Amino acid sequence: MKYRIEAEGNAKYRVVDSDTDEIAKLKGQLQTGLSRQLAEAVSGYLNALHRYDEAHGGHSEEH
């Protein structure tokens, strides 16, 4: 998977780009300080966009 979640401590999580090890952005916002449930949802969404882009050779939307 291109995007993964990592624990930050205090029950907070971030979404990380596995290719760059940088915190992922969604609509210009760093995906950090999230609940586990939200981090899982965001990483799932970003991974789905990435799979779509790879299959169709384009950018499905700015993320």
Side-chain angles (χ1 to χ4, degrees), residues 23-60:
I23 297 172
K25 287 185 178 181
L26 178 61
K27 305 225 184 252
Q29 298 295 313
L30 291 173
Q31 298 303 298
T32 185
L34 308 174
S35 68
R36 183 174 182 95
Q37 183 179 11
L38 185 54
E40 289 174 351
V42 169
S43 67
Y45 176 72
L46 291 174
N47 280 316
L49 286 177
H50 177 70
R51 286 190 303 272
Y52 180 89
D53 288 348
E54 284 190 326
H56 298 283
H59 298 288
S60 54

